[in-house]
Amino acid sequence: MISRLEGSFKYIAEFSSHVAHELKTPLAIIKGETEVAMRKERNIEEYKILNRANLEEVERMLKIINDLLLLTSLDYRPEVFKFERFDLVEFLKDIYEQSKVLASQKDIAVILDMPDDGGHINGDKFHLRRLFFNLIDNAIKFTPKNGKIDIILKKKDKKAMISISDTGIGMPDECLPKIFNRFYRVDRMDKNIEHGSGLGLNIVQSIVKMHHGAIQATSHLNKGSTFIVTIPLL
């Protein structure tokens, strides 16, 4: 028990440190930009630029806070999940149609491959949508223009296996064991790609666990990544 308590205290200390670090950076930017602006009188356009920059940082902090609140509810309030029986094929068709709209901005093709009868699952549609759109948003973000994303459903041993594959920039092998850790971010060579908070994949993993499922990832540099979500069928 003492060992478990020590582990819990260590986790809380590390988590608090990560949160402080994530919020410290945007606050420092807001403080620095504001101090520079106050050193002398500025015209209206300069103040507008400052406000836009500060607003971006505030929105970034709000996203981190909202993600942390969501993770807390996923971990400690299982009643936030509203489970119901539904057809997986119809559910994925809706995900596919909306994914095409999101991917069209980069001329990325989205391909859906699944059987006519994908089976039924007992799940929370709201949180499962968040799960799959987290994966699809990442696929779009890290896939160059004119790339491709595949959404594939297979059935095996009374389980549904949904894979999201892309032709993006991929990740090094050493990163894969850590990508579901909170606040972990892959060090990308392309600095034009905006980094997230490092919470998205941890949220995905928490949602999968609440559905008694599993998630795994494979990736190859400059070739793409694949995430496979496995959920029990009814």
Side-chain angles (χ1 to χ4, degrees), residues 70-200:
L70 173 62
L71 281 168
T72 301
S73 66
L74 294 180
D75 288 345
Y76 301 107
R77 292 177 53 210
E79 68 273 12
V80 302
F81 286 85
K82 307 299 180 186
F83 288 90
E84 60 179 304
R85 174 190 171 100
F86 61 87
D87 184 285
L88 193 53
V89 166
E90 293 303 316
F91 175 77
L92 289 176
K93 281 181 180 177
D94 289 339
I95 298 289
Y96 164 67
E97 293 297 334
Q98 293 175 43
S99 298
K100 286 195 299 182
V101 176
L102 295 173
S104 65
Q105 300 172 16
K106 291 178 67 176
D107 294 323
I108 294 173
V110 181
I111 309 299
L112 178 63
D113 181 5
M114 60 183 180
D116 293 332
D117 179 16
H120 291 75
I121 65 170
N122 186 39
D124 182 310
K125 285 186 176 181
F126 176 79
H127 286 100
L128 284 174
R129 281 177 56 83
R130 179 186 288 270
L131 182 162
F132 287 112
F133 278 116
N134 253 328
L135 296 178
I136 291 165
D137 283 344
N138 278 348
I140 294 171
K141 181 190 297 185
F142 298 118
T143 298
K145 195 172 181 178
N146 299 315
K148 182 167 73 82
I149 296 171
D150 288 295
I151 303 173
I152 302 173
L153 168 62
K154 295 181 180 179
K155 295 193 295 183
K156 183 180 180 181
D157 300 329
K158 295 184 179 180
K159 294 179 180 179
M161 301 176 67
I162 306 106
S163 64
I164 310 294
S165 299
D166 63 59
T167 57
I169 60 178
M171 295 174 282
D173 291 341
E174 62 269 19
C175 295
L176 290 175
K178 298 176 281 188
I179 58 173
F180 295 105
N181 295 347
R182 291 182 183 180
F183 296 110
Y184 180 77
R185 287 176 293 202
V186 178
D187 187 15
R188 305 284 183 180
M189 296 297 294
D190 189 346
K191 302 305 179 183
N192 293 320
I193 297 176
E194 182 181 351
H195 286 280
S197 63
L199 294 171

Side-chain angles (χ1 to χ4, degrees), residues 23-42:
L23 296 181
K24 180 181 178 181
T25 301
L27 283 171
I29 292 173
I30 292 172
K31 181 175 182 291
E33 294 280 1
T34 304
E35 286 175 344
V36 170
M38 292 178 64
R39 287 174 186 167
K40 65 176 184 179
E41 288 294 325
R42 309 278 175 172

Side-chain angles (χ1 to χ4, degrees), residues 202-219:
N202 190 256
I203 290 173
V204 164
Q205 186 182 58
S206 296
I207 295 171
V208 169
K209 286 181 178 179
M210 287 302 297
H211 286 80
H212 307 290
I215 183 169
Q216 63 186 71
T218 59
S219 188

